[in-house]
Amino acid sequence: RALHADLFDQLSEFPGFLRHLARNTLQFKPPLGFFGNFVLEERGERKGGLDIKAAMRLVVDFARIYAMQGQLRETNTIKRLEAIHQQQRLQRKERDDLVHAYEYLMHLRLKNQASQIAEESRGTPDNYLKPANLTQIEQQALKEAFKCVRIAQTKMRLDFFLNIT
């Protein structure tokens, strides 16, 4: 509680801090190209893959920034999104979409890592997912999750008056 209180005091003294966090978060984009295709690694052992954890981090950062702005003490991403909604700073549909996107990304990440562990020759599991190994439905759901993240980033861009493309 003391740490949160100190954090919220510091944030009130430096109102531009959250704007800088938002700007930093907006520098990263979901791995989805202009025409709705996945943006994949082009070289090395990760060729044809994408970093699923990086996409999840965008939802985590979104929730963290809005939680700090609203002086919320929640630390769980889904609970933060709910609390932000309760403060009426996130519409119900926006919250639901982000929660579903986050949970789906987590599901794919864990499923991918379990599969990597099951392949004994694979070594240590990582966060690189190859969409080609997913079903068409899973690929489409992944694209929709990334679109939800893009929409959340647009909200952040508008709320924090950031003109980053």
Side-chain angles (χ1 to χ4, degrees), residues 6 8 12 19 23 30-32 36 56 58 67 71-72 74 83-84 89 91 94 96 114 142 157:
D6 188 49
F8 298 145
S12 67
R19 188 166 190 258
R23 180 182 303 276
L32 203 57
M56 291 175 60
L58 297 173
Q71 297 190 358
L72 300 170
E74 294 293 343
I84 295 162
R89 294 181 303 122
Q91 298 295 318
E94 293 171 318
D96 290 349
L142 181 57
R157 185 176 295 111

Side-chain angles (χ1 to χ4, degrees), residues 114-124:
S115 174
Q116 290 173 343
I117 290 170
E119 295 175 23
E120 293 177 23
S121 64
R122 184 73 172 79
T124 306

